[in-house]
Amino acid sequence: GEFAATLLDTGQSVALVARTARHALLYDVGEHWGSGGAVSEAVIVPALRALHVRRLDRLLVPRLDADRSAGLAVLDASMDVAIWQAGGTEARRPPEFTGCPRGERWTWDGVSFENLVADECVLRIVAAPSVDAAAGGASLLVAGELDRGGQQRLLDAGLASQDAVILPR
């Protein structure tokens, strides 16, 4: 029922590895304008190896662009990825990618994952409550690339009240 979240220093962007007992998820690849896959090659793949992640059960990116695509190609060549998800409209996603539908939920090893905003890949991760906890377990919200209005909607809905929140730059 526990998860480990590792935020990787990629300079200008976000890359988060979330691991449960038997599963691993990568949220974004940390690529930025002009990086062309260099961040994935120099930071992401070595970090995954150091964390003993040999396979990603799910990879989410808030949107696809040329730099992220180059990073995704590096990852694809380095390891198996079971599920590829990307924000944005269906027309802009390659066929191997599914969207991030609002309300999509899954559970790995007692840890809950949920996409909160349609086509934005806003992810909430919640650990199972401990025996003596009155409420749920530790929670993490990854807001992807939500603009200020989207962030305000999360606040208004009470969804930003988490133990940790990762906001876009």
Side-chain angles (χ1 to χ4, degrees):
E2 297 178 339
F3 70 93
T6 305
L7 188 60
L8 303 175
D9 182 359
T10 60
Q12 299 178 19
S13 194
V14 170
L16 173 90
V17 181
R19 294 173 294 136
T20 67
R22 295 181 311 245
H23 297 277
L25 172 145
L26 177 63
Y27 187 96
D28 215 344
V29 289
E31 299 290 342
H32 49 82
W33 187 83
S35 62
V39 172
S40 294
E41 188 172 335
V43 177
I44 306 301
V45 171
L48 291 170
R49 287 184 180 141
L51 293 169
H52 306 288
V53 173
R54 301 292 178 245
R55 176 183 189 270
L56 289 169
D57 297 288
R58 192 176 294 237
L59 184 142
L60 287 87
V61 292
R63 68 181 167 87
L64 290 172
D65 54 32
D67 295 307
R68 281 189 175 99
S69 295
L72 294 170
V74 169
L75 276 170
D76 191 31
S78 301
M79 69 180 48
D80 180 40
V81 178
I83 298 173
W84 300 79
Q85 286 186 283
T89 62
E90 185 176 351
R92 300 185 78 181
R93 287 191 300 264
E96 64 271 17
F97 282 83
T98 61
C100 294
R102 181 175 186 243
E104 177 187 38
R105 295 178 180 157
W106 67 96
T107 302
W108 289 337
D109 305 316
V111 177
S112 300
F113 295 79
E114 180 180 9
N115 282 316
L116 297 176
V117 179
D119 295 324
E120 295 284 348
C121 294
V122 174
L123 181 66
R124 178 172 48 189
I125 307 171
V126 181
S130 63
V131 174
D132 56 352
S139 60
L140 171 65
L141 177 70
V142 187
E145 292 193 352
L146 279 183
D147 60 17
R148 187 178 213 137
Q151 292 174 28
Q152 186 61 51
R153 287 189 296 280
L154 284 178
L155 286 168
D156 294 344
L159 294 173
S161 185
Q162 309 295 319
D163 293 310
V165 177
I166 298 173
L167 294 172
R169 57 189 155 103

